[in-house]
Structures are given as C-alpha cells and as structure tokens.
Amino acid sequence: MKYELLLAILLAYICVTILLAYIAYKRTKSSTDYLIAGGQTHPFLMAMAYGSTFISTAAIVGFGGAAGVYGLSLLWLTFCTVFFGIFIAFVVYGKKTLYIGRILGAQTFPELMGLRYNSTFIQKFSALVISLAMPLYAAAVIIGAGRFLEQIAAINYTSAILIFAVVVAAYVISGGLKGVFYNDALQGTIMFVGMLILIIVTYNNLGGITAAHQALTNISTMVPENLAASGHQGWTSMPAFGSEIWWVVVSTLVLGVGIGVLAQPQLIVRYLTVKGPKQLNQAVVIGGVFTFFMTGVAFVVGALSNVYFMETLGKISLFAVVDPISGVPNIDNIIPLYVSSAMPEWFGYLFMLTLLAAAMSTLSSQFHVIGTSLCHDLFNYSSLTINRLAIIASLLISVYLALKLPLSIIAIATAIFFGICAATFLPAYTAALFWPRATKIGVIASMLSGFSISVLWMTFVHANEATALGISKILFGRDTLLEFPWVVVDPIVISLPLSAVVLIMVSLITVSEQPSHTRSLSK
C-alpha cells in the first residue's frame, strides 16, 4: 500500500474542504446565511447539495451491499428516488414549500410546520423527532465511511470513525449551510467521477455489459437454500411475490426510502435556499441525472460483485464477507471488499474520496439540521455559538451509535429513519401545502399517531428491530407478537396510511379549529 500517496490525497482533500469552509465562514454573517444559505443559492449548487445529501455511504455501501444479496430488484429504488425524490419533490413539493416558506418567513422545517398551523407544539415536536431519530441515520452514514476506510487504508475501525468525525465537524460547524453547499458541490463532483469509473471498470473486468449480466443470471443456482426458501429467485429476478424477501425489498428498502425521501427535513430545507420556482425547475435535471447515476451504479455493481467473487473466490458476495469474529456475514463490507479486491490500487484511493465525499455531504446536512432543530426550534436560541455546540453534541451521539450498532445495519438504520419521518411528517407536510381544511388538532394527532405506530411496530412486530430490542421478549416471552407476514412488513406500510387517515378524520371533525391564515396560503 502506498501510504504516501494515500496521505497526500487525504491532505489535499482536507485542505480544499477547509478552504471552502473558511470561505463560507467569512460569508456567513447572519442566521439566514447559516440556516438557509441566504436564500439565493444557484440551481446547480442546490441540486448538487440535495443529491449529495440524499446519496450517502448508506446508499453506496449499505444499499449497494443489499443489492449484493437481493440483486437488481433494488433498481426499483432507483426509480422511486428519481421520480419521487427529485421530480415530485422539486416540482410539486418544492415550489409550494418555497412559496409558503417565504410568506411565513420560515428558515427550518419544524418552523415551517409550526408557523403554518400556528402551533409551538408542532414546531417543537418536529424538532424533537428529528433530534432523536436522525443520529441513527447519521450513524449509518458514519459506519459506511468507517468500514471502507478500514478495508482500503487498513485502519482500525474505531480510529477511522473518530478521524472521519473530526473532519466532518470542522466545516459544518464553521460554515453553516453555505459551508455545506460549497463542499457538497465539490463532493458531488467527486462522487460522480468515482462512480463513473467504477461502473466502467466493473463491466470491463466482467467482459462487457451483456456478458456480465448473463453471468449474473447464470449463477442463480448458487442462491443459498435459506434465501431460496425465503423467496430469492436469483440476482436478476424479483423475489417471489409475497415472500419474506419480497416484503423486505419492497416495503423496507424500496418504499421505506423511496417514499420516505419526501419527508426528509435535511432535504426539505433545500427548497428554501433558492431564489424562486424557476431555479427549482432548473435543478430537476441536474438532480435527476445525479441521483439516477449514483444509485443505479451502486446497485448494479453490488449485484455484479457476486459474479466477480464467484470467479475469484468461488463464492457469492454474502459468503465473501463473513465476519471472522462472529462468523456472521456483514453485507456492509461487500462494496468495500469488492473495490479493494477488483479495482486498481489507485482507484481504491479515488473511491475512498468518493465515499468520504458522499458521507461528508450527507453528515454535514444531518448535523446542520439536528443543530438547528435543537437550538432554533426546540429551545429558541439564536446564537450561532450555541447552534454549533448542539452540532458537536449530536456528532458525539452519532459516533457512539456507529461504534455500538450491530453488523449489516446501514440499510436497515437508513430505512428506519426514512420510515419514521414519512409516518410522522409526510401527511402533515402534504396537508400544509395542499389541503387547507387540515387543522392544527388534526396535524398533531397525525404526527403523534404516525410516530407512535412506527415505534410500536418496530418494538413488538417488525422482526429486525423487535428481536434486537428484546422488549417484546421481556414483556411477553416472544420476539414478536405477530407471525409471518407481519414480522417482515415494514412499519411504513402500516403507520403512514394510518397517519394520513387520522389527519383527515380529525381535521374534518375539528374544522372550526383551522388557523385563519391557512386558506389564504393554500391558494
């Protein structure tokens, strides 16, 4: 390993990052600059910031590893992220959010919701949910970066996590959202170049596009018996309809993230940073191409890694990443192992920058949102110093979780956070933009029910979380209270529709409680 080259690349990257953070620091003069980057962001910067925030190591490492197990069925998530996460998000939600946000003078997502319904409770509860749940997502992103650094640079996992966390903190704390945007433009560009090279080299190594995919189809006989019994039908086929794996892929990985993206606070705030609807239209193409390429490449390469490991190791990806200590496969290591094994050494360093860029762009936005939620929305402090202290606190919590969470957790943790946000925020947020009859009481009931149902389903029904938490086992002597298929049905399938129904029913009953300004804002 050429440690001198690795060190030179890292130092150059860190220096550029610090420089951009310093420029942003000098240009951050007010809370508006810190919270929404002054509200005059160029469409390219906004689109790259949105895309690189959305596409993190959770997508590349975590969901890429999931594609190594479940195959090209995850490309449905690519469709959802582009259609819902970019087109619907920008054209439908983004424009209305920008319009209402400007009228109300909102600078954060919780503040937008609170002002919309004239409710301090809604603002503070939104901020509380974000502050409690987002560190789990941040931890998943940190794990993705840590696992790759551990594989490529042969660094102790704990050391990699700590070093990475310090670098991220340096620029998000100093530059606010301007610092985030400047670095996101750089990091998004690095990500795109790295993924472009990755897909080209992968197809070249496997004999071309047609040969690679035919080889992936041919090894369907290598699906392990336990996966085949659960519905796995090969890496180029959808799982058997209604099977255990079908529910995991469709309800958790595709719907959980593909729909949940519409209710992501760290993404919603991006709409408030541009000048007007025209800029959002211009950002659609840039954001769409970026998101399509980043997720598509990650999922295709993750699936094709099975062909490479079969040819070189005689085993599929799942068995190539068995943890030597626990003896359990760690799917979060599939992409890092593939890159370190199949790619030239110089590309390993370049792709390391790709993943660092992906992780840092997402984490900076996450910590920025957590900090503003705690400081601006929950405790009503306007001091930038206190805001930055809140970011440090959230960073420490996320690092702790990254060191304590179990193996193969990245995709699951990401889907959990997206699902909680969807159930808690999406019906209320949608109504705030498009349904003037929604009432404050209806919104509060919807948010409380969506959050509560999600948590209860994870605690007592959904096997992944219920088994890990062990609360159901302690109270009732069973890992889960229900049987198949409910134990593999993601909470979002239950909590999101119920949250929407509660909003509609309670609002219709309490229509007289509607805020006086609601109807005029919905025009």
Side-chain angles (χ1 to χ4, degrees), residues 162-179:
L162 296 177
I163 294 171
F164 177 68
V166 170
V167 175
V168 172
Y171 76 86
V172 67
I173 291 173
S174 60
L177 202 54
K178 282 191 174 182

Side-chain angles (χ1 to χ4, degrees), residues 453-467:
I453 294 169
S454 291
V455 172
L456 289 173
W457 195 266
M458 286 187 288
T459 303
F460 297 106
V461 180
H462 199 234
N464 280 338
E465 298 84 23
T467 303

Side-chain angles (χ1 to χ4, degrees), residues 123-139:
Q123 180 175 354
K124 291 185 179 298
F125 181 71
S126 299
L128 182 63
V129 171
I130 292 169
S131 303
L132 292 176
M134 191 171 284
L136 177 64
Y137 181 24

Side-chain angles (χ1 to χ4, degrees), residues 38 42 91 96 112 137 192 222 228 234 253 289 305 324 464-465 483:
H42 190 277
V91 175
K96 203 61 181 289
L112 173 70
Y137 181 24
F192 192 90
M222 301 302 297
L253 301 181
V289 171
S305 68
N464 280 338
E465 298 84 23
E483 304 295 336

Side-chain angles (χ1 to χ4, degrees), residues 78-98:
T78 294
F79 168 78
C80 286
T81 55
V82 174
F83 181 71
F84 292 106
I86 300 296
F87 180 73
I88 298 297
F90 284 21
V91 175
V92 180
Y93 281 80
K95 291 181 180 179
K96 203 61 181 289
T97 301
L98 178 60

Side-chain angles (χ1 to χ4, degrees), residues 141-179:
V141 176
I142 293 174
I143 291 170
R147 289 300 179 192
F148 192 82
L149 284 173
E150 179 188 36
Q151 186 72 44
I152 295 296
I155 302 175
N156 174 269
Y157 176 68
T158 301
S159 300
I161 293 292
L162 296 177
I163 294 171
F164 177 68
V166 170
V167 175
V168 172
Y171 76 86
V172 67
I173 291 173
S174 60
L177 202 54
K178 282 191 174 182

Side-chain angles (χ1 to χ4, degrees), residues 411-424:
I412 294 173
T414 302
I416 289 173
F417 175 72
F418 275 61
I420 288 176
C421 284
T424 307

Side-chain angles (χ1 to χ4, degrees), residues 68-69 224 226-227 306 315-322 329-331 334:
V69 178
N226 63 322
L227 292 182
N306 287 281
K315 59 182 71 174
I316 61 173
S317 300
L318 186 65
F319 296 147
V321 292
V322 174
N330 182 7
I331 66 174
I334 289 178

